Amino acid sequence: MERTIVDYQEGSVQEKLQKILGDVEEDGGTCPIRNILVRFSDKWSTLSIFHLGDAGTLRFNELKKRVDGISQRMLTVTLRNLERDGIVTRRVYPEIPPRVEYQLTDLGRSLLVQIIELGDWASNHSNQIIEARSRFDAREGRVIDSVSLN
Amino acid sequence: MERTIVDYQEGSVQEKLQKILGDVEEDGGTCPIRNILVRFSDKWSTLSIFHLGDAGTLRFNELKKRVDGISQRMLTVTLRNLERDGIVTRRVYPEIPPRVEYQLTDLGRSLLVQIIELGDWASNHSNQIIEARSRFDAREGRVIDSVSLN
DNA sequence: CTGTATCCTTTAAGATACTG
DNA sequence: CAGTATCTTAAAGGATACAG
């Protein structure tokens, strides 16, 4: 079902797009597809999924060490949301000091495949993007970095 | 350390992940891969790319009509950023009233393929995710919806 | 060790009014 | 038509202190 990294290159990309657009715009903002895309596109979720996919099982602080720059609060929030969505499992061992282990579910691993492809794309095209940014900034003479157009 | 990813791996998914992790954590936060993942994962960018991919060429207000709920300001900001990154082209026709047409670049179309796959994944797994959320919320007795853990 | 709770600052983004 | 500019609110996220 989702293991085919190969055949989504040639399949019916067009049909998939039509289907997504139908789902995504049908109820303006509340649809699950939008919701899911937004959720899985945040920085900390992506990085956490990468690291759990790489390591298999990680304790809270092990994961925290790997996800460079994440605060304790954001790791907690991120993991709760991923757990809620069925992407990771959380196992608590009643020891002192407590041990809590996280790992990807099957669903999480199938998502991982998708975001690896996206990350791979980013990796392979980063030079093109950086060059495009330079050209644009040279043309415009100013930087429109992230958002505010003020 | 176990490698659960091996289970479904056929090509070089594992290698891709290693490469991404190397890139992504090497300079903690400023690397282009992180930057790019964050940029292309925001809601309005994704939806704009979908619609431009579907329609081919769209004027500002045509696109605005299709991307349900987007404000004028956010469409402007989104399109500027996509233009800057080399994902869309912006062509201005010196007419009155002005006409401005947007379309995906080759780079943009190659990105489109990736996010279609992600959208397709979301579409195919939305039921699983919704069910997981219900189970979690029933277990926890409260909703941890988006972020604040207060 | 694995969190929670609070406070506080920054950023995102909607609404509205105005312009070439 | 296709934006800009400005104002304001909402949300994200960091820092710190504390708890089981």
Side-chain angles (χ1 to χ4, degrees):
Chain A
M1 189 171 162
E2 58 263 346
R3 58 171 46 214
T4 51
I5 263 191
V6 180
D7 64 7
Y8 61 56
Q9 296 296 335
E10 50 229 289
S12 44
V13 180
Q14 188 68 32
E15 288 167 27
K16 290 178 182 176
L17 178 53
Q18 295 305 321
K19 182 183 169 208
I20 293 167
L21 281 175
D23 288 354
V24 130
E25 296 295 1
E26 77 180 357
D27 57 359
T30 55
C31 93
I33 313 296
R34 269 199 199 203
N35 188 309
I36 289 162
L37 282 175
V38 169
R39 169 64 46 81
F40 297 136
S41 59
D42 101 280
K43 183 171 83 174
W44 298 133
S45 293
T46 306
L47 292 172
S48 299
I49 292 168
F50 279 152
H51 282 288
L52 285 172
D54 177 50
T57 302
L58 288 172
R59 300 177 62 165
F60 185 86
N61 272 337
E62 289 172 341
L63 184 52
K64 185 167 186 301
K65 269 176 215 137
R66 294 183 189 224
V67 182
D68 195 81
I70 196 169
S71 67
Q72 191 173 45
R73 183 178 168 283
M74 285 315 296
L75 184 55
T76 302
V77 170
T78 300
L79 286 171
R80 263 326 158 277
N81 282 323
L82 292 176
E83 188 196 358
R84 182 165 109 97
D85 288 352
I87 303 301
V88 308
T89 56
R90 174 176 185 270
R91 232 157 353 187
V92 183
Y93 296 85
E95 306 170 355
I96 294 177
R99 179 160 55 106
V100 182
E101 288 182 350
Y102 294 90
Q103 63 182 81
L104 295 179
T105 62
D106 289 345
L107 184 63
R109 279 187 289 274
S110 82
L111 173 61
L112 174 62
V113 174
Q114 298 305 324
I115 60 180
I116 284 176
E117 294 304 317
L118 193 60
D120 190 52
W121 181 92
S123 184
N124 292 332
H125 295 82
S126 61
N127 286 342
Q128 277 185 70
I129 292 165
I130 290 168
E131 284 163 22
R133 286 179 185 173
S134 303
R135 280 196 302 275
F136 183 92
D137 294 344
R139 270 204 318 275
E140 304 287 316
R142 74 193 153 129
V143 181
I144 302 175
D145 204 314
S146 57
V147 160
S148 67
L149 200 66
N150 300 324
Chain B
M1 197 165 290
E2 61 189 297
R3 300 273 168 171
T4 51
I5 201 172
V6 172
D7 297 340
Y8 53 80
Q9 167 200 359
E10 34 213 334
S12 47
V13 180
Q14 182 72 40
E15 288 167 27
K16 289 178 183 175
L17 178 52
Q18 294 303 322
K19 182 183 169 208
I20 293 166
L21 282 175
D23 287 354
V24 130
E25 296 295 1
E26 77 180 358
D27 58 359
T30 55
C31 93
I33 313 297
R34 269 199 199 203
N35 188 310
I36 289 163
L37 282 174
V38 169
R39 169 65 45 80
F40 297 137
S41 59
D42 100 281
K43 183 171 85 175
W44 298 133
S45 293
T46 306
L47 292 172
S48 298
I49 292 169
F50 279 153
H51 283 288
L52 285 172
D54 178 49
T57 301
L58 289 173
R59 300 177 62 165
F60 185 87
N61 273 334
E62 289 173 341
L63 185 53
K64 184 167 185 302
K65 269 176 217 136
R66 294 182 190 226
V67 181
D68 196 81
I70 197 170
S71 67
Q72 191 173 42
R73 183 178 168 283
M74 285 316 294
L75 184 56
T76 302
V77 170
T78 300
L79 286 171
R80 267 317 164 279
N81 283 323
L82 292 175
E83 187 196 358
R84 183 165 107 97
D85 288 351
I87 304 300
V88 308
T89 56
R90 175 175 184 270
R91 231 155 354 187
V92 183
Y93 296 85
E95 305 170 355
I96 295 177
R99 179 160 55 105
V100 182
E101 288 183 351
Y102 294 90
Q103 62 182 81
L104 294 180
T105 61
D106 289 345
L107 185 62
R109 278 186 289 275
S110 81
L111 174 60
L112 173 62
V113 174
Q114 298 304 322
I115 60 179
I116 284 176
E117 293 306 318
L118 193 59
D120 189 52
W121 181 92
S123 184
N124 292 332
H125 295 83
S126 60
N127 286 341
Q128 277 186 68
I129 292 164
I130 290 167
E131 284 163 22
R133 286 179 185 173
S134 302
R135 279 195 303 276
F136 183 92
D137 293 344
R139 269 205 319 276
E140 303 288 315
R142 73 195 153 129
V143 181
I144 300 175
D145 202 314
S146 57
V147 161
S148 67
L149 200 67
N150 301 325

